[in-house]
Amino acid sequence: MRQVLARAIGGLAVIGLIAGAAACNSDSGSDDTASGNCGYKLAYFGALTGSSANLGVNIEQGFELAINQFNEKKGSTCIEVAKFDSQGEPGVAPGVARNLVADKKILGIVGPPFSGESEAAVPIFEAAGIPSVTPSATRVSLTANGWKTFHRAVANDDAQGPGAANYIKDVMKADKVFVANDQSAYGAGLSEVVEKTLGAAVIGKDKTEADGKQTDFSALVQRVVSSKATVLFYGGYYQNAGLIRKALSTAGWKGVLVGGDGMKDPGLAKAAGNAAATGTIVTCPCSPPEKAGGTFVTDYKAKWNVDAGTYSDVAFDAANLMLQGIDAGNNTAEKLNTYLSTVEYKGIANTYKFTDKGELDPKFIKVWTFKFDATGNTIADQEVPTA
Amino acid sequence: MNFSGLIQDFGPLTITGLAQGAIIALFALGYTLVYGVLRLINFAHSEVFLIGSYACLIVWGFFGLDQNSATPSVLGVIGLLLLGLVAAIVLSGLTALSVELVAYRPLRKRNAPPLAFLITAIGASLFISETVGVMTQRNIRGVPPLIKPRDVFVIGNMHVTNLQILIIVLALVMMFLLDRFINRSRLGRGIRAVAQNPDSAALMGVNKSRVISLVFLLGGLMAGIAAVMYDLKIGVTRFDAGFLLGIEAFTAAVLGGIGNLRGALLGGLLLGVLQNYAASLFGTEWLHAASFVLLVLILLVRPTGLLGESLGRARA
Amino acid sequence: MTTEATGSTSAQQAAPDKKKWKSNGGARGWYSRQSPLVRGVLAVVFAGLAFLLPYVGEVPLIGPQIVTQGIDWPSALFNISYYVLLALGLNVVVGFAGLLDLGYVGFFAVGAYTTALLSSPDSVLKTEWGWLATVPIALAVAMLSGLILGWPTLRLRGDYLAIVTLGFAEIIRIVATSTETLRGDRGFSDIPHPPGEFADGKPIFGVADAVPYYWLGLGVIILVILGVRNLDRSRVGRSWLAIREDEEAAEIMGVRTIKYKLWAFAIGAFIGGLGGVMFAGQQGFMNSQTFVLQFSILVLAGVVMGGSGNIAGAILGGALISYIPDRLRGIQDPIWHTDLFGFRFAIFGAVIIAIMIFRPQGLIPSRRRAMELKDRAKEVAPIE
């Protein structure tokens, strides 16, 4: 009996000693000191795997292209690429974000691409003082949190919504519009703004389940058909939109499907079939990739073997913006953040200047509409006013 | 609550609901068969469906067809349809059988408690669907438009298309055939015997393991047909297509009376139609909530489902 | 010759010793035979070790193998802690009382949402309490929801109960997604963290460091273990055992099955709500995407894999289902060059099947179950 007790206490003591020694050594990570303006890292934080991977990968590749080009010009690996995969999920984001802030060499972040994970992760970045520039998270409430390190390089839903509504009203001249959304933060937010702007033209409303959670839309389709609407505005992502578009065509509906940048993906044509998808209009607070300056389009294709995706060019610009900042001597997160808050930068997709809340300066906001053509790709249609 | 919409669209909602419900019913037959014989909720059945839905797509892919192809000629459609059905049935049946052999039979040999079977089923379901997900990178896969929907007849604003008729008729025919098989054939008698009392059946000379394998095969067969119909109707499939529909099918099976074949048919059709009505009345976002509320209400009143459990009885 | 004899006798002695160890209940038997003082010290040792887990990365050689890479280790530990909590709660419902619950995430959601509604500036209630103040209300609401789930299902037999509980969890999720009050996918942000400050004014429960959350979770787990253990050894636990074994017989023998079944749901819901409250306090933001059906199924698989019906099994199962996927994060696989995290559920599925086939009673079987299985193995009519 006493033997067992003694062993137990002894074991506890030994383990306590080891653990204590370990705890005391917890900051033993030794990094090479960065010299001058090199030896730092820029991070991409967002979805790289999982069902939302496409958009995240597009952005990460634009980001990495910029850094690679910068390093080539410098002749050495001046700035390193750090990638953090959050799967696009707000539940996973905090743990991965804490990993990110533990690396003291990271001066800036491009991302997060999605609004939900931004809500969860940016408080952690903010607490660590690391500036982030998102090329695609468009939820309006993100800049209402009082964050000082968050910057948005695109227009938010308050601009995209009116853009879509104006297009429906003025260009399509539709007076019978059915509005639906997938109840996601992005989709609901967007469709609410569209609804408000269209006013009396909205003759029906409905909501669906989130992207990927529903496959049978017969009730929605039936309501749209019987309402005799000529336009359906759907706030949501490309998969649901594609399925709805296909079901509408099967039911013989002759109207046009309109949506936001969440639907701007070849996946919509994949779900609906190219024939049914033709003519679908999507808005995007981004300009057409062909309009991107310089050799970006060819460089991207050369490096990644695929065409640049949505927001790849904005991510490219965001990365270059930060690289320019670091190169100008802002080699701490705090200095870089100050730089971001004051600079006006002319990139290949747009000119960037941030308001004190982190939003893009209104005079640089542009919203374009794109149309799906018979091959399932989106081609630029026209720029729309956002007021 | 959108009453006027419901009344106005009653016809179209009913017919589309019946078509969807027919698919659910075929899918539910698998759950109900296995439960009737083994008292086991076969969670892996949704993956049996999934494999079927990919099987026909792969076969059609060999002919170079995808969602953007043109509709072939009538003869071509019939041929491709048969080919797709055969592929789906075979692969679904094989999947069901392998789940039984790999996951359930070893447990039965060890006389494991019922909860262990359920968990193993979950494990099998996870394994299969996630493997498919990784292999397809969780992307959707489009279905060739083999059957171009054409109105066959129109009553008021209710358009009945050729595809819908095909689905409903196919489901009814398969149901009828299965019913006759269970009730009239020798093997069917064996199934009923094992469902009623496994040990007595074994004592009477029924080969239990053969019957069990047969039951899984039959369920897989039904699921394969449901999968092809689902593909044609919805137009895409994904690695978790089985899971989503599986919950609905399981609900339908319980609704009708789990273990009861006609209950599965009734439950499936009822669920499809009522979901549509609820979606029109309350909004599409409440579609699934409506089916669960319905289930709870019915179980409160009739704890064994609408038609009761009865695979073991002579009149299934 | 003499050496041979002694050699064989010592070998003979070794074998029966091992058998004696096993038949006396192995490690757990040994543990229960020690005096309360020794048991107490050992329990404190284990608890102490658990508190020191955030520093396990420093242990040479094996430390870096254990620590997660793609995700911050203290965050992974916190995840483990609330999964273990959920497993303990589900173990009460499924393991002790034998009620098959496929919708456990519903209680987790109720706890988390109540906290969010009462404390987030986004909520319609505009009460904006601190985290600690919301805890008792959230737990009470969770218990209530357990009763609401339990009451209509009293008459239902095992498998029907499963589908109804599944339906309830889905209804909760759909209501959370589709009603304005619960804000669906937009969710609640700025949920306050647990209170407390260091001497220099910085909050203990901040955003950047997950260790305090883990310690809080661990403390809660210890309290829950003590509570559940006491329940298990009381009349309530014995009633649950009777209900689990044979409900009709229990009813005939005078066990108030209705009361104790409701108790089981209420306590399970309490613990689930506790997990939800802690989750909300750590995360600071939550939306309806978190509470999906797969979550419930995962926790159930964890409980049964670990060994349902006993606390140690539930802890192990809960820890495994959280640890294994997190451990696989951030590792590139050599074939497809994707994050191994993508394979986590496929690997999981295979692991579940393997464990169930080779150890259907679970990794740490409850002794009663193990005895049950031994009896069933000796049953007269063979199954195949």
Side-chain angles (χ1 to χ4, degrees):
Chain A
M1 214 50 62
R2 219 170 288 171
Q3 220 183 15
V4 178
L5 187 58
R7 279 197 213 149
I9 297 183
L12 172 58
V14 168
I15 292 171
L17 262 168
I18 297 182
C24 288
N25 282 341
S26 48
D27 287 296
S28 57
S30 55
D31 298 333
D32 314 291
T33 44
S35 54
N37 297 324
C38 277
Y40 298 102
K41 298 187 191 175
L42 283 180
Y44 164 78
F45 178 93
L48 284 174
T49 57
S51 47
S52 328
N54 281 349
L55 183 59
V57 169
N58 287 343
I59 291 175
E60 193 278 322
Q61 287 176 340
F63 157 84
E64 207 175 320
L65 179 66
I67 300 186
N68 285 349
Q69 288 182 346
F70 179 82
N71 287 336
E72 268 167 34
K73 254 192 293 202
K74 287 271 174 181
S76 70
T77 311
C78 182
I79 303 289
E80 269 180 68
V81 169
K83 295 191 257 197
F84 293 87
D85 184 2
S86 67
Q87 271 96 38
E89 288 189 36
V92 172
V96 182
R98 290 196 187 104
N99 243 2
L100 192 157
V101 305
D103 186 340
K104 299 287 174 230
K105 286 214 258 176
I106 296 179
L107 295 186
I109 303 167
V110 171
F114 295 129
S115 305
E117 55 179 348
S118 302
E119 294 266 14
V122 176
I124 299 178
F125 302 149
E126 173 90 2
I130 305 182
S132 54
V133 177
T134 175
S136 60
T138 52
R139 191 189 313 187
V140 178
S141 61
L142 284 175
T143 47
N145 286 316
W147 292 328
K148 308 241 179 323
T149 58
F150 177 76
H151 305 90
R152 200 192 327 244
V154 288
N156 60 26
D157 290 332
D158 270 352
Q160 210 190 150
N166 287 336
Y167 186 87
I168 295 177
K169 234 183 355 181
D170 303 326
V171 177
M172 299 176 75
K173 303 219 195 317
D175 56 353
K176 298 221 196 98
V177 181
F178 198 101
V179 177
N181 66 66
D182 67 353
Q183 300 180 96
S184 68
Y186 158 76
L190 198 56
S191 82
E192 272 160 20
V193 174
V194 169
E195 212 181 300
K196 212 165 44 162
T197 318
L198 284 176
V202 176
I203 56 169
K205 300 196 285 195
D206 201 1
K207 299 187 201 168
T208 67
E209 297 201 31
D211 209 54
K213 292 235 182 320
Q214 186 172 354
T215 49
D216 178 43
F217 294 97
S218 10
L220 168 64
V221 165
Q222 188 53 45
R223 284 172 80 168
V224 172
V225 168
S226 354
S227 71
K228 308 235 187 303
T230 50
V231 170
L232 168 65
F233 180 86
Y234 184 69
Y237 296 96
Y238 59 86
Q239 197 175 316
N240 272 7
L243 292 175
I244 293 175
R245 176 71 257 189
K246 182 179 176 113
L248 283 170
S249 300
T250 310
W253 187 63
K254 301 272 182 276
V256 179
L257 175 65
V258 180
D261 57 335
M263 282 162 52
K264 182 179 178 297
D265 189 285
L268 191 150
K270 208 164 164 210
N274 290 352
T278 312
T280 303
I281 305 277
V282 288
T283 59
C284 184
C286 57
S287 35
E290 327 61 278
K291 291 218 181 300
T295 53
F296 172 71
V297 179
T298 35
D299 290 342
Y300 190 101
K301 184 91 191 243
K303 180 161 172 69
W304 301 110
N305 247 328
V306 288
D307 289 324
T310 315
Y311 299 123
S312 300
D313 47 0
V314 182
F316 182 81
D317 278 346
N320 275 329
L321 170 58
M322 287 200 219
L323 287 167
Q324 184 176 295
I326 300 178
D327 213 28
N330 298 293
N331 51 13
T332 66
E334 207 183 318
K335 281 197 253 178
L336 188 59
N337 193 33
T338 322
Y339 174 80
L340 286 175
S341 308
T342 51
V343 70
E344 179 169 324
Y345 172 78
K346 183 158 169 40
I348 52 142
N350 202 357
T351 310
Y352 303 90
K353 186 162 162 55
F354 301 107
T355 66
D356 55 354
K357 284 226 163 107
E359 293 282 6
L360 190 60
D361 193 316
K363 60 181 192 270
F364 297 123
I365 288 179
K366 34 175 111 158
V367 174
W368 276 76
T369 52
F370 295 79
K371 202 183 276 204
F372 275 85
D373 65 6
T375 62
N377 290 314
T378 49
I379 49 171
D381 192 57
Q382 55 189 269
E383 195 171 336
V384 277
T386 58
Chain B
M1 298 224 288
N2 187 2
F3 275 114
S4 60
L6 177 61
I7 297 173
Q8 180 191 3
D9 295 332
F10 192 78
L13 287 174
T14 309
I15 191 72
T16 45
L18 282 177
Q20 181 75 357
I23 297 177
I24 296 178
L26 281 173
F27 195 157
L29 280 173
Y31 281 114
T32 231
L33 272 173
V34 170
Y35 188 84
V37 173
L38 288 177
R39 293 280 175 280
L40 159 72
I41 302 174
N42 183 10
F43 252 100
H45 192 60
S46 48
E47 270 48 58
V48 169
F49 173 89
L50 177 72
I51 299 286
S53 81
Y54 270 98
C56 59
L57 286 186
I58 294 177
V59 162
W60 290 334
F62 283 145
F63 291 89
L65 296 173
D66 69 3
Q67 70 269 16
N68 294 319
S69 321
T71 312
S73 66
V74 175
L75 224 54
V77 167
I78 295 181
L80 284 167
L81 211 52
L82 283 175
L83 216 55
L85 277 172
V86 165
I89 288 174
V90 166
L91 276 157
S92 284
L94 280 180
T95 310
L97 202 55
S98 26
V99 169
E100 141 73 3
L101 291 176
V102 170
Y104 298 144
R105 186 161 298 193
L107 283 182
R108 276 206 305 279
K109 282 212 165 81
R110 280 161 226 267
N111 221 335
L115 203 52
F117 285 90
L118 185 65
I119 302 298
T120 307
I122 293 174
S125 164
L126 271 180
F127 179 71
I128 297 177
S129 67
E130 287 291 316
T131 309
V132 170
V134 168
M135 292 199 313
T136 60
Q137 280 138 359
R138 299 175 205 274
N139 273 333
I140 51 176
R141 187 167 168 152
V143 177
L146 285 186
I147 297 189
K148 217 160 183 69
R150 252 185 336 108
D151 288 345
V152 172
F153 59 89
V154 181
I155 306 175
N157 65 343
M158 178 166 92
H159 299 247
V160 182
T161 66
N162 47 1
L163 185 58
Q164 285 166 342
I165 293 188
L166 174 66
I167 295 176
I168 296 176
V169 165
L170 198 56
L172 289 173
V173 164
M174 291 316 302
M175 202 26 258
F176 176 70
L177 288 176
L178 186 67
D179 203 61
R180 292 213 50 172
F181 177 76
I182 298 281
N183 283 331
R184 304 288 170 90
S185 77
R186 235 180 100 236
L187 286 172
R189 242 204 317 266
I191 294 178
R192 274 184 287 133
V194 176
Q196 208 169 49
N197 191 328
D199 295 326
S200 315
L203 289 171
M204 298 302 275
V206 174
N207 186 334
K208 251 178 57 174
S209 42
R210 194 111 56 90
V211 162
I212 293 175
S213 304
L214 178 64
V215 163
F216 273 94
L217 268 175
L218 281 176
L221 194 150
M222 296 291 146
I225 299 177
V228 175
M229 292 297 114
Y230 173 86
D231 279 352
L232 290 174
K233 177 175 190 288
I234 300 293
V236 294
T237 187
R238 221 171 76 128
F239 75 102
D240 58 359
F243 181 77
L244 292 172
L245 207 60
I247 301 290
E248 286 182 30
F250 184 52
T251 309
V254 175
L255 192 63
I258 193 150
N260 186 325
L261 294 180
R262 292 179 195 167
L265 181 67
L266 178 66
L269 294 176
L270 201 62
L271 202 71
V273 169
L274 287 176
Q275 270 185 347
N276 260 8
Y277 295 158
S280 176
L281 203 55
F282 303 108
T284 309
E285 68 267 28
W286 297 106
L287 190 130
H288 288 122
S291 53
F292 285 118
V293 170
L294 180 70
L295 179 71
V296 171
L297 290 175
I298 300 229
L299 283 183
L300 275 179
V301 174
R302 276 183 74 86
T304 50
L306 284 171
L307 296 182
E309 309 177 27
S310 71
L311 189 58
R313 305 220 195 90
R315 206 192 310 268
Chain C
M1 207 152 343
T2 26
T3 39
E4 272 178 29
T6 41
S8 56
T9 35
S10 57
Q12 274 171 347
Q13 268 174 359
D17 274 344
K18 195 156 174 213
K19 260 182 85 179
K20 221 173 117 207
W21 176 258
K22 263 270 148 82
S23 70
N24 278 342
R28 276 188 294 170
W30 173 88
Y31 179 76
S32 53
R33 282 194 298 276
Q34 307 307 315
S35 81
L37 177 60
V38 176
R39 285 214 297 262
V41 169
L42 279 174
V44 169
V45 169
F46 270 118
L49 282 180
F51 274 98
L52 291 173
L53 271 179
Y55 306 111
V56 79
E58 310 298 333
V59 172
L61 278 187
I62 51 170
Q65 301 307 315
I66 299 180
V67 172
T68 58
Q69 290 178 339
I71 179 177
D72 177 50
W73 174 235
S75 299
L77 282 174
F78 175 74
N79 288 347
I80 292 180
S81 74
Y82 77 78
Y83 267 92
V84 165
L85 203 55
L86 289 177
L88 283 171
L90 187 59
N91 183 46
V92 168
V93 180
V94 172
F96 289 155
L99 303 165
L100 186 54
D101 186 347
L102 280 182
Y104 196 66
V105 77
F107 304 132
F108 183 74
V110 168
Y113 267 107
T114 312
T115 297
L117 275 171
L118 288 173
S119 63
S120 164
D122 293 331
S123 125
V124 289
L125 291 180
K126 300 259 175 272
T127 44
E128 290 194 45
W129 292 358
W131 179 85
L132 204 53
T134 67
V135 171
I137 315 270
L139 294 177
V141 173
M143 278 186 82
L144 192 65
S145 72
L147 291 174
I148 294 177
L149 168 62
W151 180 78
T153 57
L154 287 173
R155 277 203 297 166
L156 292 176
R157 230 192 49 200
D159 306 311
Y160 294 97
L161 181 62
I163 184 69
V164 168
T165 51
L166 188 151
F168 264 101
E170 282 291 278
I171 290 177
I172 291 179
R173 182 185 63 82
I174 293 175
V175 166
T177 312
S178 307
T179 51
E180 265 310 302
T181 328
L182 294 178
R183 290 173 62 90
D185 191 51
R186 281 175 302 158
F188 295 89
S189 47
D190 294 326
I191 300 174
H193 301 291
E197 282 180 6
F198 288 115
D200 57 358
K202 283 176 71 181
I204 303 182
F205 293 97
V207 280
D209 187 14
V211 175
Y213 292 100
Y214 166 63
W215 283 338
L216 176 66
L218 202 51
V220 168
I221 289 177
I222 292 177
L223 289 175
V224 166
I225 291 177
L226 291 174
V228 170
R229 236 191 46 157
N230 278 340
L231 266 178
D232 189 34
R233 290 173 189 210
S234 71
R235 157 189 287 183
V236 181
R238 285 194 291 277
S239 308
W240 285 339
L241 180 57
I243 295 172
R244 185 179 81 214
E245 295 302 317
D246 190 333
E247 199 175 321
E248 279 111 6
E251 185 76 44
I252 294 174
M253 296 302 282
V255 173
R256 309 255 302 275
T257 53
I258 292 183
K259 174 172 158 194
Y260 290 112
K261 273 162 87 164
L262 287 177
W263 260 97
F265 273 116
I267 291 179
F270 179 88
I271 300 177
L274 198 50
V277 161
M278 278 190 359
F279 175 81
Q282 185 267 141
Q283 184 111 323
F285 165 78
M286 52 171 264
N287 64 7
S288 59
Q289 275 183 19
T290 325
F291 310 110
V292 287
L293 184 61
Q294 286 91 330
F295 198 150
S296 304
I297 294 181
L298 200 62
V299 177
L300 179 66
V303 169
V304 176
M305 266 202 320
S308 88
N310 78 112
I311 294 176
I315 295 177
L316 179 62
L320 278 180
I321 54 176
S322 173
Y323 176 70
I324 294 182
D326 278 348
R327 183 69 187 89
L328 293 173
R329 236 187 261 269
I331 304 180
Q332 293 275 327
D333 86 288
I335 316 176
W336 283 286
H337 293 288
T338 60
D339 193 331
L340 260 188
F341 187 74
F343 290 95
R344 70 196 185 285
F345 281 124
I347 295 177
F348 234 139
V351 165
I352 290 176
I353 300 179
I355 293 184
M356 280 297 115
I357 291 182
F358 294 114
R359 250 182 115 76
Q361 66 272 36
L363 290 170
I364 304 182
S366 84
R367 270 166 292 172
R368 179 166 290 275
R369 281 285 157 80
M371 289 194 300
E372 262 174 41
L373 268 151
K374 262 210 289 209
D375 284 342
R376 287 171 71 112
K378 293 192 229 135
E379 248 160 45
V380 178
I383 297 299
E384 294 293 54

